[in-house]
Amino acid sequence: MNIILLGPPGAGKGTQAKRLEQERGMVQLSTGDMLRAAVKAGTPTGIQAKAVMDAGELVSDAIVSGIIGERLDMEDTLKGAIFDGYPRTAAQAESLDTLLSERGRQLDFVIELEVNEDALVERVEGRFTCANCGEGYHDKFKLPKVEGTCDVCGHHEFKRRPDDNAETVRTRMAEYRAKTAPILPFYEAKGLVRKVDGMADIAEVGAQIDAILDGKA
Ligand SMILES: [Zn+2]
């Protein structure tokens, strides 16, 4: 089972990818990680990539394809790959099809975690964590039982991340739409796109993804 997992920051994509790795033995493949690993391991394509990057140039699609191909030849990908951040263009999507079919595999689904932007803003803006133990809270959805006191450790200081604000969320959503716009139509035409409610709680999102992977949705 090979999938592409799409979702804007805040939709829980990382959490779901990690769960699929643990429960199904799939591996999450992000181009950045694969590139760094290939350079470090000195694979044939890694050596090419390093030369290009050392010259201050962008790594070409051909090199990225080479790196993905090398990664797909490693045994740990046989139970399934979760592509993250790749492909970004229709041309890359075509290359991915080729890379998989050359290995007797195929892309099974493109799963998109859908979010409601306004609801996402509300969710992100309200969150804060205990400065001591990291327990997560929210102004609207999960306040400490005793005001100003962490439920878990009893600490009284909390912190908020500076980028948890409406503007950052809306900018990231716009970036996300720009990134996925080129590839969604490609996969929609192939009938591979499945939408999951990324605003549901983590267990429900997981259940929806499992239903798709198990052919029940
Ligand atoms: Zn705490």
Side-chain angles (χ1 to χ4, degrees), residues 9-10 120-129 159-173 175:
L120 187 65
V121 166
E122 184 179 64
R123 183 191 274 190
V124 168
E125 270 193 319
R127 67 188 175 193
F128 59 98
T129 56
K159 55 183 182 184
R160 288 172 193 268
R161 291 171 36 171
D163 56 352
D164 280 353
N165 62 64
E167 200 194 333
T168 306
V169 173
R170 295 198 190 280
T171 304
R172 286 185 185 155
M173 280 299 296
E175 286 168 359

Side-chain angles (χ1 to χ4, degrees), residues 130-135 137 150-155 157-158:
C130 169
N132 182 50
C133 73
E135 178 71 4
Y137 294 97
C150 176
D151 296 347
V152 176
C153 73
H155 199 77
E157 280 165 77
F158 297 90

Side-chain angles (χ1 to χ4, degrees), residues 48-189:
Q48 282 181 45
K50 187 177 185 308
V52 171
M53 289 188 292
D54 285 348
E57 286 163 34
L58 283 176
V59 175
S60 66
D61 273 4
I63 289 180
V64 172
S65 291
I67 280 170
I68 294 170
E70 287 175 351
R71 187 67 186 84
L72 288 173
D73 287 335
M74 295 181 200
E75 241 180 64
D76 64 339
T77 63
L78 286 174
K79 282 190 182 159
I82 306 163
F83 294 95
D84 174 17
Y86 182 91
R88 287 272 162 83
T89 63
Q92 289 178 348
E94 301 266 14
S95 306
L96 181 59
D97 275 355
T98 308
L99 286 166
L100 287 167
S101 65
E102 282 169 355
R103 290 162 179 80
R105 297 181 228 171
Q106 61 174 13
L107 190 70
D108 297 286
F109 297 108
V110 175
I111 299 177
E112 182 175 39
L113 305 181
E114 281 192 304
V115 299
N116 173 303
E117 185 166 330
D118 292 330
L120 187 65
V121 166
E122 184 179 64
R123 183 191 274 190
V124 168
E125 270 193 319
R127 67 188 175 193
F128 59 98
T129 56
C130 169
N132 182 50
C133 73
E135 178 71 4
Y137 294 97
H138 195 282
D139 293 326
K140 266 200 185 148
F141 310 123
K142 190 193 167 193
L143 282 166
K145 293 190 180 79
V146 178
E147 197 187 335
T149 305
C150 176
D151 296 347
V152 176
C153 73
H155 199 77
H156 299 295
E157 280 165 77
F158 297 90
K159 55 183 182 184
R160 288 172 193 268
R161 291 171 36 171
D163 56 352
D164 280 353
N165 62 64
E167 200 194 333
T168 306
V169 173
R170 295 198 190 280
T171 304
R172 286 185 185 155
M173 280 299 296
E175 286 168 359
Y176 169 73
R177 290 202 183 93
K179 264 183 237 161
T180 52
I183 59 160
L184 274 174
F186 177 88
Y187 290 119
E188 268 158 5

